[in-house]
Amino acid sequence: MESFIIEGGHLLSGTIVPQGAKNEALEVICATLLTSEEVKIDNIPDILDVKNLIKLLEDIGVKVTRHSRHSYSFQSNELNLDYLQSDEFVRKCSSLRGSVLMIGPLLGRFGRATIAKPGGDKIGRRRLDTHFLGFSHLGATFVRSEHRDVYEIKSNGKLKGSHMLLDEASVTGTANIIMAAVLAEGQTTIYNAACEPYIQQLCHLLNSMGGRIEGIASNLLTIQGVEELHAATHRILPDMIEVGSFIGLAAMVGNGIKIRDVSLKNLGVIPETFRRMGIEIREKGDDLYIPRQEHYTIDSFIDGTIMTLSDAPWPGLTPDLLSVMLVVATQACGSVLIHQKMFESRLFFVDKLIDMGAQIILCDPHRAVVIGHDRKITLRSGRLTSPDIRAGIALLIAALSAQGTSSIANIAQIDRGYEDIELRLNALGAHIQRVNS
């Protein structure tokens, strides 16, 4: 198992470019299963979750051509559907959260899919009900095989378009239902659909492949089913979670950091939320510049009450950045309530920050109050472990700001979402070493 050794207390400066969006990559790569023709995708992040998904597609017969580190073509014209029933496929799916996004395209194109309960972050229950309820509206049936802990989903004939109101604006649920419905007979309307930029990009790709999707960027999608899809090319957006992570990094340990080519129009409320924490962010074209933050003061609400930062469906704040914002708040002037509504285990990493000297009250699994040090008390170094992708990057930022040398174990979790993170941060002046522990 690999670990990071971090020598804290160094200021970082320079320019960094965000990778392609991980969550979008998982969706659009799975969408290539919907056609027998070649689909080329650029700006694919070279990270563990994406590489594992590509390997899984190769296992079922997808022809994958690697043009460069971040550019691939996929052709799904000779798939081995029998492999989907194998124990090996089930085992691989159980360790990869992104594998759940294969259900929609396999069901839409072939009328059947088998999927294991997906793995990924240990951040609490991540139910699949929305996915299956949507498939049921399209005419599919599913059964759970208890002894193998897999779901077998089938349709008797072609899927039929339907109107559906989703029980929650699930991003992966919406993506899966869209991919199933794009080849269904007739019209499908999805109300309370997620409308994150990842979903918008998926819809744009499918339309370029011959799909007919309207209402993109809204929570009401209308899909006219088509007979087949064809070849296309697509470019993945910059990863807004990585952009937000770098804003947090620049606030804590930056001495002037430029984040280049961020696709500002697709960042939503992320920059403004950091500004509410007192962070100065300058915009120039599609770049962000965060100068040295000697002090930053958290806003309060208009009535003087303590600021609350909470996640919400797009265009609200993504839950993936609350861990970073919590760490940034430890050195702010003022206090803030972090309310993680979606996942009940994502705040459990704060005990490590408390051991490092942060003033945090964990109210319950969903809420934590952070009392900022205003840089008067520096975090202490510590021996840390990354429980999930986002907590991992938050702990890395904390370690970079701490005095002394820290270690972070289980960094495979960080590698799942951040490409060459130690090399890119070391180029800014960080002192991070990857070691075998």
Side-chain angles (χ1 to χ4, degrees), residues 137-138 159-164 181 184-190 212 214 220-226:
H137 277 292
L138 296 173
L159 296 174
K160 307 290 185 182
S162 172
H163 172 78
M164 62 187 78
E185 288 184 352
Q187 177 176 288
T188 298
T189 54
I190 309 173
R212 297 174 60 193
E214 297 178 351
L220 177 59
L221 294 174
T222 301
I223 304 169
Q224 300 290 344
V226 297

Side-chain angles (χ1 to χ4, degrees), residues 29-247:
I29 289 172
C30 286
T32 65
L33 291 167
L34 284 163
T35 178
S36 62
E37 298 185 21
E38 187 176 76
V39 178
K40 185 172 183 286
I41 303 176
D42 294 320
N43 203 30
I44 294 177
D46 188 22
I47 55 177
L48 195 58
D49 270 12
V50 171
K51 289 189 285 190
N52 286 342
L53 179 62
I54 292 173
K55 181 64 172 65
L56 191 58
L57 292 184
E58 287 181 311
D59 289 342
I60 67 172
V62 177
K63 298 183 180 72
V64 178
T65 303
R66 186 178 188 266
H67 304 293
S68 68
R69 188 181 185 190
H70 301 112
S71 179
Y72 290 78
S73 291
F74 304 86
Q75 188 166 11
S76 304
N77 59 335
E78 294 179 347
L79 300 186
N80 178 12
L81 298 181
D82 291 336
Y83 181 72
L84 302 177
Q85 307 293 329
S86 69
D87 290 338
E88 181 182 5
F89 176 75
V90 169
R91 177 180 54 80
K92 290 181 177 180
C93 287
S94 65
S95 63
L96 177 62
R97 176 68 189 173
S99 64
V100 73
L101 288 161
M102 296 170 61
I103 306 176
L106 289 172
L107 181 62
R109 184 176 168 199
F110 300 106
R112 61 189 175 102
T114 302
I115 202 78
K117 183 178 180 181
D121 290 329
K122 306 304 181 186
I123 54 177
R125 185 171 61 95
R126 305 178 80 170
R127 63 189 183 89
L128 298 176
D129 300 60
T130 303
H131 305 241
F132 294 137
L133 289 171
F135 298 146
S136 296
H137 277 292
L138 296 173
T141 58
F142 66 94
V143 294
R144 181 182 177 195
S145 175
E146 295 287 346
H147 68 285
R148 298 178 69 204
D149 199 21
V150 301
Y151 299 92
E152 296 179 358
I153 308 154
K154 297 180 180 179
S155 63
N156 294 320
K158 204 170 176 76
L159 296 174
K160 307 290 185 182
S162 172
H163 172 78
M164 62 187 78
L165 173 61
L166 302 188
D167 62 332
E168 66 171 353
S170 163
V171 176
T172 53
T174 299
N176 246 335
I177 296 165
I178 291 169
M179 288 188 282
V182 73
L183 292 177
E185 288 184 352
Q187 177 176 288
T188 298
T189 54
I190 309 173
Y191 196 26
N192 196 30
C195 52
E196 272 79 354
Y198 319 130
I199 295 293
Q200 297 174 38
Q201 286 286 97
L202 173 64
C203 291
H204 290 314
L205 169 61
L206 293 174
N207 280 352
S208 69
M209 294 167 66
R212 297 174 60 193
I213 305 172
E214 297 178 351
I216 299 172
S218 77
N219 69 345
L220 177 59
L221 294 174
T222 301
I223 304 169
Q224 300 290 344
V226 297
E227 285 294 323
E228 60 182 7
L229 299 176
H230 53 67
T233 60
H234 179 78
R235 183 173 179 81
I236 292 172
L237 288 174
D239 195 315
M240 66 179 178
I241 312 303
E242 193 169 75
V243 172
S245 301
F246 293 155
I247 294 173

